[in-house]
C-alpha cells in the first residue's frame, strides 16, 4: 500500500459531432474537455475509510473493520464484467441506503464502495484512507462528470493497492499510465459508471481515460491519432432536459418521416467523418482553412439537430450571440437545452472573446473558456495544482 498522498485528475467530455445520429448506428466524435475532476487519496492508519465530495455535499466514513467483516464474495474477483442489478441492491444494503435511492449523491457513494471493495480485496486487509474528489465540471449537464469521477477512483485505488505502478517520475509535474494500465483503469471505471447509470455506452469513461478524441460507432471505440487541442467556449443554458425523451422524439420523427429524417442522420454521419478527416490533417500543421471548415461543419450540424427537433430557443439565442461576434456554435449532447460549444479560432482577438463571454453571461448562461482534446487521466505533484484546485480539495 502506498504511504504518501496521491493526486489524480481526469477530463470531462463533449460530443463534437454525431449526437442522436449515434443512436441509429452512425459515427460520433467525442473529445476530452479540459474541465477536470481531481482526486486526493491520503493513506493513513486510523482504521477508517472516508469519502468527501464537496461539490455535492457528501461526507461519509466507515470503519475498515466492519467493512472487512462483510461478505463481499458477491463482488467476484477481478471479473468486472459481472456487475448486475443484484450487486447494486446488495451495495445499498452495505451502505445502509434505501432500496429506491437513485439520486446522484447516493449513487456516487455506491460507485466508490463498489470500486474500493472490489479493487482493494486483493490486499491482506482493506486499507485505511481518505478520498476527496472535487470537480470543475457541472454535474448532470451531459459533460461526463460521473465518468471522470469513476476514472479518478479506479486510477487512484489501483495505484494505491499497487495493482498498477505510479507513473510520476522525479522532477515531473504530471505522469500518465501506460496503455496496458489505462486498459485496466478504463475497465474498472466502466463498472463504476454501471453502478451510477445502469447501462452506459462506455464512451464517457473511455474519453476520460485516454483523453484526446475518440470515434464511437455501434459499440466500437477507437482513438484518433494525435488530435489537435482546440480552444472553445463551453456554455450551459441551464435548461434541464431528459435525454430519454429527446432520443424517443427523434425516433418517432424518424418513423413518421423516414424519407426526410434518415437522410439527415446520414448527413450528420458525413459531418462526423469529414471532421475526423480534418482533425487528422491538423495533427501535422493546422491552417486557417482547417478552422473555417470546422466552423462550417459546426453550422451545418446545428441546423440538422434543429431539424431533428432537439433544439431549443435558448440554444438558438446562444448561436445568435456568438454569430454576432463572428463565432460558430452548436449544441452538444442531448440538446433541448443543456450545453453548447463555440469554437475559438487562434486568430480571435482577446477583447472579442471577453465581449462574447460577457454577452453570454448577460443571457443568464454559465460560460467557461477551456479546450478540447485534453490529456486523459493523469497523476500530479501537489505543487503543480492550481490554487483553486487545492482549495476545492480542502473545502470540506
Amino acid at each position: 500500500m502506498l504511504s504518501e498522498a496521491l493526486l489524480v485528475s481526469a477530463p470531462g467530455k463533449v460530443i463534437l459531432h454525431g449526437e442522436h445520429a449515434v443512436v441509429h448506428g452512425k459515427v460520433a466524435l467525442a473529445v476530452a474537455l479540459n474541465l477536470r475532476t481531481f482526486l486526493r487519496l491520503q493513506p493513513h492508519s486510523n482504521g477508517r475509510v472516508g469519502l468527501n465530495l464537496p461539490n455535492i455535499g457528501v461526507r461519509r466514513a466507515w470503519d475498515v473493520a466492519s467493512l472487512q467483516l462483510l461478505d463481499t464474495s458477491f463482488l467476484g474477483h477481478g471479473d468486472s464484467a459481472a456487475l448486475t442489478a443484484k450487486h447494486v441492491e446488495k451495495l445499498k444494503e452495505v451502505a445502509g441506503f434505501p432500496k429506491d435511492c437513485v439520486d446522484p449523491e447516493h449513487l456516487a457513494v455506491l460507485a466508490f464502495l463498489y470500486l474500493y471493495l472490489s479493487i482493494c480485496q486483493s490486499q491482506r486487509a482493506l486499507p485505511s484512507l481518505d478520498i476527496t474528489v472535487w470537480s470543475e465540471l457541472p454535474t448532470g449537464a451531459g459533460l461526463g462528470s460521473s465518468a471522470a469521477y469513476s476514472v479518478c477512483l479506479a486510477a487512484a485505488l489501483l495505484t494505491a493497492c499497487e495493482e498498477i505502478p505510479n507513473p510520476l517520475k522525479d522532477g515531473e509535474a504530471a505522469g500518465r499510465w501506460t496503455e496496458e494500465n489505462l486498459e485496466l483503469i478504463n475497465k474498472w471505471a466502466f463498472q463504476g459508471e454501471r453502478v451510477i447509470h445502469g447501462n452506459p455506452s462506455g464512451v464517457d469513461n473511455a474519453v476520460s481515460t485516454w483523453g484526446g478524441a475518440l470515434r464511437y460507432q455501434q459499440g466500437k471505440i477507437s482513438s484518433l491519432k494525435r488530435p489537435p487541442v482546440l480552444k472553445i467556449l463551453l456554455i450551459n443554458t441551464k435548461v434541464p432536459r431528459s435525454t430519454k425523451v429527446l432520443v424517443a422524439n427523434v425516433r418517432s420523427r424518424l418513423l413518421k418521416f423516414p424519407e426526410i429524417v434518415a437522410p439527415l442522420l446520414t448527413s450528420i454521419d458525413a459531418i462526423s467523418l469529414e471532421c475526423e478527416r480534418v482533425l487528422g490533417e491538423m495533427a501535422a500543421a493546422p491552417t486557417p482553412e482547417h478552422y473555417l471548415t470546422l466552423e462550417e461543419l459546426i453550422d451545418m450540424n446545428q441546423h440538422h439537430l434543429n431539424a431533428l427537433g432537439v433544439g431549443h430557443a435558448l440554444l438558438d439565442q446562444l448561436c445568435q450571440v456568438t454569430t454576432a461576434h463572428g463565432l460558430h456554435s452548436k449544441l452538444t449532447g442531448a440538446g433541448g437545452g443543456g450545453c453548447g460549444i463555440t469554437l475559438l479560432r487562434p486568430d480571435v482577438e482577446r477583447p472579442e472573446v471577453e465581449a462574447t463571454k460577457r454577452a453570454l453571461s448577460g443571457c443568464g448562461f454559465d460560460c467557461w473558456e477551456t479546450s478540447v482534446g485534453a490529456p486523459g487521466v493523469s497523476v500530479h505533484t501537489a505543487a503543480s495544482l492550481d490554487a483553486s484546485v487545492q482549495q476545492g480539495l480542502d473545502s470540506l
Side-chain angles (χ1 to χ4, degrees), residues 287-303:
T287 66
E289 286 68 43
H290 286 137
Y291 283 96
L292 294 176
T293 303
L294 290 179
E295 290 182 328
E296 279 188 88
L297 295 175
I298 284 171
D299 291 343
M300 289 190 285
N301 198 353
Q302 177 60 16
H303 289 300

Side-chain angles (χ1 to χ4, degrees), residues 6-11 36-39 151-152 155 166-168 173-177 182 185 208-209 374-381:
L6 189 61
L7 290 159
V8 174
S9 79
R36 301 182 78 86
T37 293
F38 294 87
L39 178 152
V151 168
C152 282
N166 183 340
L168 196 60
R176 306 244 15 242
W177 285 271
L182 290 173
I185 291 169
S208 194
T209 301
V377 64
S378 308
V379 60
H380 305 272
T381 59

Side-chain angles (χ1 to χ4, degrees), residues 37-212:
T37 293
F38 294 87
L39 178 152
R40 180 175 59 212
L41 183 154
Q42 183 73 55
H44 49 64
S45 51
N46 67 359
R48 289 173 77 69
V49 57
L51 177 67
N52 305 312
L53 309 175
N55 300 79
I56 54 175
V58 168
R59 186 166 200 167
R60 295 286 305 238
W62 298 266
D63 279 321
V64 170
S66 59
L67 292 178
Q68 197 79 52
L69 294 173
L70 292 172
D71 172 15
T72 54
S73 58
F74 73 93
L75 292 171
H77 280 266
D79 175 17
S80 52
L83 181 74
T84 64
K86 268 209 183 80
H87 291 142
V88 178
E89 292 312 310
K90 189 98 174 145
L91 280 170
K92 286 180 183 175
E93 267 175 54
V94 167
F97 289 165
K99 274 207 160 79
D100 55 356
C101 68
V102 288
D103 53 283
E105 293 81 1
H106 282 115
L107 293 174
V109 173
L110 291 177
F112 165 74
L113 276 177
Y114 173 77
L115 291 171
Y116 172 76
L117 293 170
S118 302
I119 292 170
C120 300
Q121 66 182 353
S122 62
Q123 304 287 297
R124 274 205 316 274
L126 288 174
S128 284
L129 47 87
D130 267 321
I131 282 184
T132 302
V133 185
W134 177 81
S135 187
E136 299 172 327
L137 289 161
T139 53
L143 300 173
S145 60
S146 67
Y149 170 70
S150 294
V151 168
C152 282
L153 283 176
L157 290 167
L158 287 164
T159 305
C161 292
E162 298 178 331
E163 298 280 321
I164 57 178
N166 183 340
L168 196 60
K169 306 229 179 358
D170 275 351
E172 287 183 3
R176 306 244 15 242
W177 285 271
T178 62
E179 191 59 32
E180 189 187 351
N181 294 334
L182 290 173
E183 292 279 357
L184 189 61
I185 291 169
N186 186 54
K187 190 182 89 163
W188 280 112
F190 182 56
Q191 298 310 314
E193 274 281 81
R194 288 177 72 188
V195 172
I196 295 169
H197 288 301
N199 190 21
S201 67
V203 172
D204 290 13
N205 48 280
V207 174
S208 194
T209 301
W210 277 281

Side-chain angles (χ1 to χ4, degrees), residues 120-375:
C120 300
Q121 66 182 353
S122 62
Q123 304 287 297
R124 274 205 316 274
L126 288 174
S128 284
L129 47 87
D130 267 321
I131 282 184
T132 302
V133 185
W134 177 81
S135 187
E136 299 172 327
L137 289 161
T139 53
L143 300 173
S145 60
S146 67
Y149 170 70
S150 294
V151 168
C152 282
L153 283 176
L157 290 167
L158 287 164
T159 305
C161 292
E162 298 178 331
E163 298 280 321
I164 57 178
N166 183 340
L168 196 60
K169 306 229 179 358
D170 275 351
E172 287 183 3
R176 306 244 15 242
W177 285 271
T178 62
E179 191 59 32
E180 189 187 351
N181 294 334
L182 290 173
E183 292 279 357
L184 189 61
I185 291 169
N186 186 54
K187 190 182 89 163
W188 280 112
F190 182 56
Q191 298 310 314
E193 274 281 81
R194 288 177 72 188
V195 172
I196 295 169
H197 288 301
N199 190 21
S201 67
V203 172
D204 290 13
N205 48 280
V207 174
S208 194
T209 301
W210 277 281
L214 298 183
R215 166 204 175 110
Y216 177 79
Q217 186 175 27
Q218 294 179 326
K220 286 197 200 62
I221 300 173
S222 56
S223 279
L224 272 62
K225 300 253 181 306
R226 296 190 307 129
V229 173
L230 302 172
K231 288 202 170 130
I232 62 156
L233 296 178
L234 173 75
I235 304 107
N236 189 355
T237 65
K238 299 190 278 196
V239 176
R241 75 264 174 275
S242 159
T243 301
K244 218 177 245 164
V245 169
L246 289 156
V247 167
N249 290 350
V250 172
R251 193 177 295 280
S252 61
R253 193 170 274 201
L254 175 62
L255 291 171
K256 188 177 177 185
F257 305 111
E259 300 291 310
I260 300 169
V261 177
L264 281 176
L265 297 173
T266 304
S267 179
I268 290 174
D269 193 48
I271 289 172
S272 297
L273 294 172
E274 178 62 12
C275 181
E276 184 181 9
R277 189 191 67 74
V278 173
L279 293 176
E281 278 186 8
M282 289 174 81
T287 66
E289 286 68 43
H290 286 137
Y291 283 96
L292 294 176
T293 303
L294 290 179
E295 290 182 328
E296 279 188 88
L297 295 175
I298 284 171
D299 291 343
M300 289 190 285
N301 198 353
Q302 177 60 16
H303 289 300
H304 280 25
L305 289 162
N306 275 331
L308 290 178
V310 298
H312 187 276
L314 288 187
L315 288 166
D316 291 340
Q317 186 186 9
L318 183 166
C319 291
Q320 284 158 7
V321 167
T322 57
T323 301
H325 291 271
L327 300 170
H328 299 252
S329 309
K330 67 178 279 292
L331 69 84
T332 178
C339 290
I341 50 174
T342 305
L343 182 65
L344 297 177
R345 297 183 312 275
D347 64 339
V348 178
E349 302 283 347
R350 174 61 19 207
E352 200 61 79
V353 175
E354 292 304 331
T356 308
K357 283 159 67 176
R358 277 198 303 278
L360 290 164
S361 299
C363 300
F365 303 150
D366 287 340
C367 185
W368 294 265
E369 187 177 343
T370 180
S371 61
V372 294

